[in-house]
C-alpha cells in the first residue's frame, strides 16, 4: 500500500541520516584541523585530539547505525511481549 511504502521510505531516509551524521561527527574535526593548518600554519590541540579519537571510531559509529534497525525491532517485540504478558496476568 501507499502508506506502507511511505513508512519504509521514511525509515530508509532516517537510517541514511544516521550514516551521514556518523560521517560528519567523524570528519568535521579533522577537516577543520586541516583547514586551520593550511590557513594559519598551526592547529589546536583539542581538534587534533578529537581527530585522533573520532577518526578510528568511524567503524564503531557505522556499526551502531548498522545494528540500529535490528535493535529497534528487538525493542518493539520486547514491548509487545511485555504488553501481552501484562494482559494475560490480569
Amino acid at each position: 500500500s501507499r502508506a506502507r511504502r511511505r513508512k519504509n521510505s521514511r525509515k530508509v531516509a532516517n537510517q541514511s541520516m544516521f550514516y551521514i551524521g556518523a560521517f560528519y561527527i567523524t570528519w568535521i574535526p579533522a577537516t577543520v584541523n586541516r583547514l586551520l593548518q593550511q590557513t594559519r600554519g598551526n592547529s589546536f590541540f583539542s581538534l587534533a585530539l578529537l581527530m585522533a579519537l573520532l577518526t578510528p571510531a568511524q567503524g564503531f559509529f557505522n556499526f551502531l547505525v548498522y545494528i540500529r534497525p535490528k535493535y529497534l525491532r528487538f525493542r518493539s517485540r520486547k514491548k509487545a511481549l511485555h504488553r501481552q504478558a501484562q494482559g494475560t496476568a490480569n
Side-chain angles (χ1 to χ4, degrees):
S1 74
R2 186 175 189 164
R4 185 179 193 89
R5 284 194 309 264
R6 184 172 294 161
K7 184 178 178 182
N8 285 339
S9 292
R10 197 173 311 123
K11 285 181 180 181
V12 170
N14 286 339
Q15 188 70 7
S16 65
M17 293 306 290
F18 279 106
Y19 275 113
I20 291 169
F23 175 82
Y24 281 129
I25 287 170
T26 302
W27 289 104
I28 282 180
T31 303
V32 171
N33 190 36
R34 188 66 179 150
L35 287 172
L36 287 173
Q37 285 175 340
Q38 291 296 312
T39 58
R40 291 182 161 188
N42 64 346
S43 63
F44 295 103
F45 175 76
S46 57
L47 281 176
L49 181 63
L50 275 175
M51 183 180 76
L53 294 173
L54 293 176
T55 304
Q58 184 176 14
F60 177 69
F61 296 148
N62 286 339
F63 167 74
L64 292 177
V65 174
Y66 177 77
I67 65 167
R68 181 181 168 271
K70 291 175 179 60
Y71 171 74
L72 293 176
R73 274 192 304 264
F74 168 77
R75 193 175 73 179
S76 175
R77 288 178 186 154
K78 186 176 178 182
K79 283 182 183 180
L81 286 173
H82 182 70
R83 281 192 304 268
Q84 186 180 31
Q86 290 296 321
T88 58
N90 292 331

